[in-house]
Amino acid sequence: MKSNLLKYTLSLAFLISTMLIAISVGSVSVPIPEIIQIIGSEVFHLPLGDHVDPKFISIVYDIRLPRVILAGLVGASLAIAGAAFQGLLRNPLADPYILGVSSGASVGAVSTLFFNISIPFLGMYTLPFLSILSALATIMIVLFFAKKIDKTMRVESIILTGIIFSSFLGSIISLIIALTGEELQQIIGWLLGSVSMRGWKYVGIILPFLIIGGLLLLMNTRELNAMSFGEERAQHLGVDVEKRKMLILAAGSILTGAAVAVSGTIGFVGLVIPHLTRKLWGPDHIHLLPLSIITGAGFLILTDLLSRTIISPQVLPVGVITALVGAPVFAMILIKQKKAKGR
Amino acid sequence: MLKVENVSGGYDGETIVKNIHFSVGKGEFFGILGPNGSGKTTLLKMMSGLLELKQGEVKIDDRSISDLTKKQLAKKMAVLPQLSPQVFPYTVKETVSLGRYAHHRSFFQTWTDEDENIVQKVMKQTNISHFQNNSVMEHSGGEQQRIFLAQALVQQPDILLLDEPTNHLDLAYQKELLDLLRTRAKEEGLTVVAILHDLNLASLYCDKILLMDNGETKAVAGPDDVLSEELINHVYQTEVVKQPHSQIAKPQLHLLPGKKSEREGEQVKIEESMLSISPEQIVLQSKQPLKTVSSGVVGAGAGWYSNFVNRHVDANYNCTNHREEMREYLTNHGFPISQTVGMMTAVALEDNSYRVYEGDGFSVMIVVTAGVGNAVDSTRENSSVARPVKPGTINTWIFVNGKLTDEAYIQSIITATEAKAQVLRDCHILDAVTKKPATGTSTDSILVAATQQGKEIDYAGTATELGAIIGKGVYQEMKQSIQHYFKRKEMHDYLSPN
């Protein structure tokens, strides 16, 4: 038995080190002790040492820190959403991207931009709100169709339906882009997924949704454990399956929708991180969800760092890196599953 | 305890289960039987609250299950479903612990000592504690079945529903699982409702059985009434034969493979030429096994046998384990024990007498070896008086080329025994102690074997043709054999007078 303390210490150590490295590395390199001092002074109003270069303060506080935090929040949202979808659907291949939820959220976001929708009272939250709504609608439709095709909702049926909806929604996005003409580069860049040049405002947009969605899921960890054995089994164990399922789907959609709204579609984080976390620390959702949050945050910070340094000064969309890592992992899980079934 | 009242329902528009009505008492083991598609699983899903009822009510302790919350229901009733493949590598203990879900009031309630104690106790009872830290996925179907049974039991339910729990389990696991359930039912008052597909297992374990066909009730009663040949033949559209279990008072059903003509196999007729007689043994070997009822040393009771051996042993034959010695003898002489009826006699086998008697559409061969050295009157009071050991045993074989009922077998034995008593009286053979006519010797054996082909013969009392032939045949052959015996004895006495 691996002790819980060890699980969380190692995961947090990973997150903190990726954060420090990501803030440190760039066109101008900032030494780590300076980073700690700057954050200490800005956040906790500790006295700043005299030897800290003032230009570092701006680089750290205005550019790198918000970027790293945004990457972390997006990674955390996608990872916990993925973990929850996987448990709920008893499917280690479920992921907001593969299920078409990300595409659904994108359609909501792109439509908001295209039609220039602004809902009164919501203000800057209009975009994430509509992203979340279309994410929720998409997952419901995908599951409805999957059930129509195959009553037992086998893993493959759900994935196939998700992929079909992804491409369908993708073409709707393409259609909208073709109609826009201007701002083309910007929308495409956004679609490929990026956390660059977003600033503190975007951190403010995603944070409330991560808290709401995250808490909702953390309150359903035991139900997720039960549902990993099948919906009927869960009901026999005393779980109010219909209600819990709706809660979990809604929370997953909130998290995915908000992540897409601030960073576009970043695929495979929700697949790779829960898988890795489960492999390392076990499938119990009581720990799987919080650990996925921590590891997912660290992972996206790391991939974002790679995306802006690997062919520097060019910046790659972070979604490219996650897909490069994620697709082979997806294939690996699929092969392993087939093997296990063939036994 | 559990009441199912006029329940109907199914999926979407289709009504699969129609008007089912029964009740199960506390601690009862209730079985649900029926052919595939008869609505058993649908009924179970309605009873466990997974499927809405279209009509009727399911009540636990007089409360409708639709009035209970999911958690309240889970504390009253647990379900062991059919095994489905696992996706995530939960440990055995994690899996079992999930059964405590319904006992936790909210998200904030933590794992208590009570939870831990119950989980450990149930894991011990289901014999899974030694691998509690392994992943569920590593284990075989039988072990997974036990793990999920443990999960259901830590719910501490009053009622346990099971859907074909013995599916995919091998013989030992089936028994182990059902034994465990029955112990739980009898000792702790757990009410068990199980869909079973094996009629004979259901007969052994169920107190009451619901037999379903096309979603309707065919019978709700004890195993003896539900498992009748007529009902089962009708519901399963398959011919079965009902027999009592040989060890316990429960019925068992036997399938009859193939068509009638295929079952009978090659035609066989028992004839005199099939006997081979030597001073050591009289043997009859049949190409097809014969249905035999006998009181031999080996192969006694009822069974199907193709070798029949009457072996001569010395008058002083004394072996502490004569059964074992006889088996060894038969094996050494090339007779497989499982296909052989073996008898012993101290009488000289040359004193045999045999003949075939023809009846209308059947025939009977009777073979007798007789010696009356220790003839007794079976009605005398004290039979344990020590007496000189003289060779004396009457072994009677009756082979019938025909198809006998169980009654006919028993009547054949009665008729043959009556004939024997008559022979001994007519030969003036007396009990050495009481000086009254003897009725037999103290070590007589009898064998009735039939080919079970050809003419069906229902009875063998003395008023029937078969009975008459057996009576006459046994009388004649035995008398002749006894005459041979006396002749030999006179010769012997004459040659060595003392």
Side-chain angles (χ1 to χ4, degrees):
Chain A
M1 287 290 273
K2 289 150 186 164
S3 91
N4 291 335
L5 187 69
L6 182 74
K7 297 178 190 179
Y8 286 96
T9 313
L10 284 177
S11 304
L12 281 171
F14 168 68
L15 173 61
I16 291 168
S17 33
T18 53
M19 280 179 81
L20 291 176
I21 295 167
I23 295 169
S24 163
V25 176
S27 47
V28 178
S29 183
V30 184
I32 287 175
E34 264 83 345
I35 299 172
I36 294 170
Q37 285 200 28
I38 293 167
I39 294 175
S41 102
E42 290 289 339
V43 179
F44 302 107
H45 303 287
L46 297 174
L48 194 60
D50 297 335
H51 57 278
V52 175
D53 190 333
K55 88 174 175 204
F56 282 172
I57 298 176
S58 168
I59 287 174
V60 168
Y61 195 71
D62 295 332
I63 298 171
R64 294 206 187 141
L65 190 58
R67 177 173 187 151
V68 162
I69 288 180
L70 185 64
L73 294 179
V74 169
S77 305
L78 293 174
I80 189 180
F85 281 137
Q86 288 173 14
L88 181 68
L89 300 174
R90 318 183 63 200
N91 183 344
L93 292 174
D95 152 281
Y97 184 70
I98 290 159
L99 290 176
V101 184
S102 300
S103 308
S106 301
V107 170
V110 174
S111 318
T112 313
L113 294 174
F114 181 67
F115 295 111
N116 214 355
I117 303 169
S118 177
I119 299 173
F121 310 117
L122 286 176
M124 73 170 184
Y125 289 106
T126 303
L127 184 78
F129 181 72
L130 290 179
S131 292
I132 288 166
L133 271 192
S134 47
L136 194 57
T138 311
I139 185 77
M140 304 294 278
I141 296 170
V142 167
L143 292 182
F144 174 77
F145 270 83
K147 197 157 192 177
K148 276 271 163 214
I149 295 167
D150 168 14
K151 244 188 184 143
T152 58
M153 303 252 280
R154 272 177 307 147
V155 176
E156 292 84 356
S157 315
I158 297 177
I159 289 176
L160 204 60
T161 321
I163 289 170
I164 291 165
F165 271 83
S166 275
S167 16
F168 175 69
L169 295 167
S171 49
I172 291 185
I173 295 167
S174 303
L175 182 70
I176 296 176
I177 291 171
L179 292 175
T180 11
E182 42 190 286
E183 289 188 52
L184 194 70
Q185 190 62 39
Q186 193 196 332
I187 289 188
I188 288 178
W190 177 80
L191 274 178
L192 283 172
S194 167
V195 287
S196 66
M197 307 313 280
R198 300 284 212 251
W200 287 108
K201 184 184 155 200
Y202 280 79
V203 171
I205 291 177
I206 188 174
L207 190 61
F209 294 108
L210 173 59
I211 292 172
I212 295 169
L215 278 180
L216 270 178
L217 290 183
L218 289 175
M219 280 164 63
N220 282 292
T221 48
R222 286 178 311 142
E223 286 76 8
L224 276 169
N225 277 339
M227 284 194 264
S228 330
F229 288 92
E231 286 185 20
E232 289 190 0
R233 191 80 211 109
Q235 179 158 340
H236 290 145
L237 290 170
V239 176
D240 191 341
V241 169
E242 287 310 310
K243 187 178 119 190
R244 298 293 182 166
K245 193 160 91 175
M246 284 314 299
L247 273 177
I248 292 163
L249 286 178
S253 304
I254 287 173
L255 291 160
T256 312
V260 167
V262 297
S263 62
T265 50
I266 297 175
F268 295 103
V269 180
L271 173 84
V272 174
I273 298 306
H275 181 71
L276 186 74
T277 313
R278 206 180 286 117
K279 269 258 170 293
L280 284 174
W281 313 121
D284 184 351
H285 286 83
I286 293 172
H287 300 298
L288 179 66
L289 294 191
L291 290 168
S292 290
I293 290 184
I294 300 168
T295 318
F299 175 75
L300 205 66
I301 291 168
L302 195 65
T303 42
D304 179 51
L305 172 66
L306 284 175
S307 76
R308 65 188 160 87
T309 51
I310 206 161
I311 51 164
S312 173
Q314 282 274 58
V315 175
L316 268 177
V318 65
V320 172
I321 308 270
T322 58
L324 281 176
V325 178
V329 174
F330 180 90
M332 199 185 69
I333 303 173
L334 197 63
I335 289 167
K336 227 172 153 187
Q337 261 197 337
K338 282 284 156 219
K339 264 193 197 150
K341 266 183 204 164
R343 221 174 11 201
Chain B
M1 176 89 246
L2 177 67
K3 281 186 188 149
V4 173
E5 297 181 341
N6 304 310
V7 160
S8 301
Y11 303 94
D12 302 327
E14 200 185 350
T15 301
I16 293 171
V17 169
K18 293 157 214 156
N19 207 25
I20 301 280
H21 191 93
F22 63 88
S23 66
V24 188
K26 185 174 161 66
E28 243 179 12
F29 198 124
F30 189 89
I32 302 177
L33 295 179
N36 290 342
S38 58
K40 303 181 298 265
T41 301
T42 311
L43 174 65
L44 203 77
K45 282 189 175 175
M46 297 198 298
M47 288 168 65
S48 68
L50 281 182
L51 266 184
E52 297 253 331
L53 309 180
K54 286 190 179 149
Q55 190 200 309
E57 249 180 326
V58 177
K59 286 182 179 170
I60 299 176
D61 296 332
D62 290 319
R63 275 186 75 185
S64 169
I65 59 165
S66 53
D67 295 341
L68 300 171
T69 65
K70 300 284 190 302
K71 275 192 184 181
Q72 282 171 334
L73 183 60
K75 281 195 262 186
K76 294 254 179 215
M77 179 156 78
V79 182
L80 181 67
Q82 295 202 31
L83 273 189
S84 54
Q86 296 310 307
V87 184
F88 300 119
Y90 285 95
T91 66
V92 171
K93 194 188 165 193
E94 281 170 343
T95 306
V96 175
S97 302
L98 267 176
R100 296 300 296 163
Y101 175 83
H103 291 267
H104 289 177
R105 231 167 287 122
S106 73
F107 165 69
F108 297 103
Q109 190 169 341
T110 49
W111 191 249
T112 63
D113 285 346
E114 196 201 344
D115 292 327
E116 182 69 27
N117 287 341
I118 290 164
V119 167
Q120 289 298 345
K121 193 176 129 207
V122 170
M123 285 199 295
K124 209 168 275 169
Q125 284 170 343
T126 47
N127 198 17
I128 57 173
S129 13
H130 55 288
F131 51 70
Q132 57 176 288
N133 293 322
N134 297 4
S135 156
V136 176
M137 296 162 91
E138 290 167 23
H139 291 279
S140 68
E143 287 163 336
Q144 289 197 10
Q145 193 72 283
R146 296 215 301 273
I147 294 165
F148 285 101
L149 176 67
Q151 191 187 52
L153 289 177
V154 299
Q155 284 176 250
Q156 296 185 298
D158 301 330
I159 301 166
L160 181 62
L161 307 184
L162 307 100
D163 192 353
E164 303 211 353
T166 57
N167 231 356
H168 310 304
L169 298 190
D170 68 28
L171 206 59
Y173 278 135
Q174 293 188 4
K175 177 183 141 54
E176 199 177 302
L177 183 84
L178 291 169
D179 279 348
L180 189 120
L181 290 173
R182 183 159 68 178
T183 310
R184 279 275 186 166
K186 299 300 163 229
E187 288 174 9
E188 296 171 35
L190 178 71
T191 305
V192 178
V193 179
I195 295 180
L196 296 168
H197 61 287
D198 185 324
L199 304 179
N200 289 326
L201 274 182
S203 160
L204 296 180
Y205 285 93
C206 296
D207 299 314
K208 247 162 99 183
I209 294 174
L210 163 70
L211 179 64
M212 290 178 75
D213 190 22
N214 277 324
E216 289 171 24
T217 308
K218 276 285 159 196
V220 191
D224 224 9
D225 294 320
V226 172
L227 300 178
S228 75
E229 288 177 13
E230 293 82 358
L231 261 176
I232 299 299
N233 288 355
H234 174 71
V235 170
Y236 286 85
Q237 296 291 312
T238 305
E239 204 183 331
V240 293
V241 176
K242 182 174 168 178
Q243 294 257 296
H245 191 289
S246 71
Q247 305 290 315
I248 57 171
K250 299 278 183 181
Q252 295 283 283
L253 296 172
H254 300 298
L255 277 174
L256 299 172
K259 294 193 193 101
K260 192 166 173 251
S261 55
E262 290 166 2
R263 287 200 289 276
E264 286 188 348
E266 207 179 318
Q267 288 292 315
V268 61
K269 184 164 190 268
I270 303 301
E271 296 167 332
E272 292 164 354
S273 60
M274 295 163 85
L275 279 171
S276 75
I277 300 170
S278 70
E280 204 185 18
Q281 58 188 22
I282 298 179
V283 176
L284 186 139
Q285 284 183 290
S286 162
K287 274 180 281 175
Q288 292 282 329
L290 310 181
K291 188 175 175 188
T292 308
V293 174
S294 79
S295 62
V297 176
V298 168
W304 291 80
Y305 299 98
S306 35
N307 304 316
F308 305 89
V309 178
N310 188 7
R311 171 193 171 198
H312 173 77
V313 293
D314 190 77
N316 300 317
Y317 173 84
N318 190 3
C319 178
T320 46
N321 196 347
H322 65 292
R323 228 175 266 273
E324 192 52 46
E325 194 274 336
M326 183 69 169
R327 282 197 186 140
E328 220 166 90
Y329 172 87
L330 291 174
T331 311
N332 290 341
H333 285 73
F335 301 109
I337 298 299
S338 60
Q339 299 163 21
T340 306
V341 175
M343 293 181 178
M344 285 185 187
T345 181
V347 169
L349 293 181
E350 289 89 332
D351 298 342
N352 69 76
S353 179
Y354 59 87
R355 210 175 121 190
V356 170
Y357 294 81
E358 292 293 336
D360 178 16
F362 67 93
S363 58
V364 180
M365 182 167 85
I366 293 165
V367 184
V368 176
T369 60
V372 290
N374 59 351
V376 292
D377 164 13
S378 66
T379 59
R380 75 187 146 101
E381 280 170 12
N382 189 353
S383 59
S384 65
V385 178
R387 46 182 66 250
V389 182
K390 287 184 192 166
T393 287
I394 302 173
N395 286 347
T396 311
W397 289 358
I398 301 166
F399 295 99
V400 181
N401 292 305
K403 188 170 184 182
L404 299 191
T405 60
D406 286 355
E407 298 94 300
Y409 274 92
I410 293 167
Q411 288 162 347
S412 298
I413 293 171
I414 297 174
T415 306
T417 309
E418 287 165 358
K420 178 174 73 177
Q422 191 61 44
V423 173
L424 296 185
R425 186 163 24 197
D426 290 357
C427 293
H428 307 293
I429 294 162
L430 303 179
D431 184 308
V433 178
T434 64
K435 304 296 176 197
K436 287 207 295 193
T439 54
T441 80
S442 57
T443 50
D444 292 353
S445 281
I446 192 163
L447 173 155
V448 180
T451 55
Q452 297 301 82
Q453 296 173 349
K455 186 173 179 180
E456 296 192 13
I457 306 167
D458 291 341
Y459 304 104
T462 43
T464 65
E465 195 190 0
L466 176 61
I469 286 178
I470 289 175
K472 183 181 90 183
V474 168
Y475 184 88
Q476 285 181 357
E477 300 314 312
M478 200 175 293
K479 196 164 184 182
Q480 200 155 19
S481 179
I482 289 174
Q483 281 164 354
H484 289 317
Y485 167 80
F486 278 127
K487 226 174 261 168
R488 174 186 308 278
K489 200 163 166 259
E490 268 168 39
M491 191 88 76
H492 184 264
D493 292 349
Y494 173 76
L495 290 174
S496 55
N498 43 37

